[in-house]
Amino acid sequence: MTALQIIFLITAGVILASAVMVVTTRNMIHAALWLIVTLFGAAVLFALLNAAFIAVVQVVVYIGAIAILFIFAVMLTRREMRDRGAQLNSGWWLSAVVAALTFGGLFFLLRGWNGFSTHAPDLSSGADAVQLLGQALVSPDAYVLPFEVASVLLLAALVGAVYVAFQKKGEE
Amino acid sequence: MEFWSNPIKAAADWLTSIFTGWGMPASAANVVVSLIGVVALIVVVMVLDIMLVWLERKIVARFQDRLGPNRLGPFGLIQPFADIIKLLIKEDTTPAGADRVVYNIAPILAMMAVLLLWAVLPIAPILFGVDINVGALYIIAVGAIGTLAIITAGWASNNKYALLGAFRQVAVMISYEIPMVVAILIPTMLAGTMGINSIVEAQKVWYFWLAPLAAVLFLVSALAELGRAPFDLAEAESELIAGHHIEYSGMKFGMFYAAELLHAFTFGGFMAAFFFGGWRGPGVAQFPLLGLFWFLLKALIGYWVFGWIKYTMPRIRIDHMLALNWKFLVPVSFVLLMVVALMNSLLRGSDFYVIGMFLSNVAVGWGALEIVRASARRQRKEIEAPAQAASPQH
Amino acid sequence: MHTEWLIIGLFLLVGAAVPGAAILTARIIAPRKPNPIKQSTYECGIETVGENWVQFKAQYYIFALVFLVFDVETVFLFPWAITLNVLPLFAVVEGIIFILILVAGLVYAWRKGMLEWA
């Protein structure tokens, strides 16, 4: 067991445990904080894979913007922070069976896939990953069109947010 | 001479050889030596933090035409230690109904967020934590942890003023992150790399001369990120008592306070690294450790400028703060980014590089101020015209 | 490459341990005499009025939303920015188009009154 594998197993355990806590905890703010732990675990996984840029972007965007948005949204809409009521409803055994069947089916399907054991090609050691990413984003025969479309997508998101908020303001 | 050209590496190699001599495998020895280095850096930073308490009080005293602490020790240098002892022995009351776990984590998060920043700050050419190649974005990521610390502190205190103060502070912090990120993008673009030590190394000409408006943008948005005056509405005693740290006492409050001062110094350091050449200065090529002296000098000057602004300007109201950001700083920063990118690509390598970039920055700044002035003139005319029409003298 | 992240991980651990140790020291040394009056919530020295829940302005959420869009945009701009020293002018123009589209979005939000605090 290399050190990398140990760290991966610990991180994966933390992610799974905090994901379970997000869903089962009764306090909404605690759910948001457990979500932050999960997202941080995902950033650690990216760092383990040497994807430094994506790891840092995960923290900046997910934890720095989206988690804060979640916390604001929870505090805006919830008068009471605790989830009253039962955690499970009467059909829980059926959902457990469906989940187990889905897991079994996926396991069976992916068992024969050799993608798990093939090594992804290593980047040439002199290459700077972020430079390559940057050049790929602007070169006309790589990803420049998705790059520009991404900005249009963000514009659409902004306009949509303005529209929804405007509705709310109109109602007030 | 060999020792002086890289004393840190010599010390690290010597320690590693001791550990492998004891039978540790090489990788474990490396980890232990790294750990010793990290602990040493953090201890030095904490001592610096303690001296910053003294420095802050002396600066504010001089600006207010008085002496500051001068009873304990020569020039009052023992004063911060007395403060620490006081904070340690103060009772630590937890308010009723506070969320215990979250309440206790918040000060630790606040301090951790600042200490993590020291991992990428290039103090000397051979003395820095790591030079990861995404250093510039790493700063923003750590800022996100700081934001989290504030919001958890505010919520966990079970106090509506703490919650209000925390929300306002977080709203200001996230708003001012946009001009700060763009102000960091400009040295990144000029240097062609995100690693902060690499940005310092690429500064043959200080980036302050190439992009002065970016330095001003960074200064203003850093002040807002730090929550220092004139953007310290969340801590204003007359408005919200103490904002998110109302219910904290003793060492927990000490952690918030020390984190704020150290954060200010760290941003002084980043200002020096991004715009004023960091550890660059005469003599650094022969004696790399001299870079430490230059860096500290520049960071202290930056810290003094932060204090100068804090103790001179009155506080800004929350809606003015947010309007300043979204209606002035964000558009100006994006326009500046486009202009600097264009000028950099057009003038790079030509003789007019420095003067061309400097003048283009000045032009953008002047243009922005003219637009604001024109809109203010128009608004004033709108307010004065009906007033004049209604005045009985006409 | 992994050594870099190891050092950052060490900074995280030590950075959490140092304030933790300081607070723990304070907990050991400081007196503890809790009583209900000391532990009541602070409200400028008087008894708390009203419930402990604050009506949250919707404006905070709108600012956070606008911030999110611009945050993602600046994250896209980072890989673009570091290539400008090696690529010709068209890379700059592509980036300028990207920024202009989003500045148009900002102007739209401004005109619709989304950036007012009131």
Side-chain angles (χ1 to χ4, degrees), chain A residues 30 36 64 68 72 75 128 130, chain B residues 99 133 144 147-148 155 167 194:
Chain A
H30 283 183
I36 290 175
I68 303 235
F72 277 7
M75 295 204 186
D128 185 4
V130 196
Chain B
D99 193 342
N133 60 345
T147 315
L148 219 58
W155 181 78
F167 278 133
M194 280 198 246

Side-chain angles (χ1 to χ4, degrees), chain B residues 148-159:
Chain B
L148 219 58
I150 292 181
I151 211 172
T152 49
W155 181 78
S157 299
N158 198 28
N159 182 333

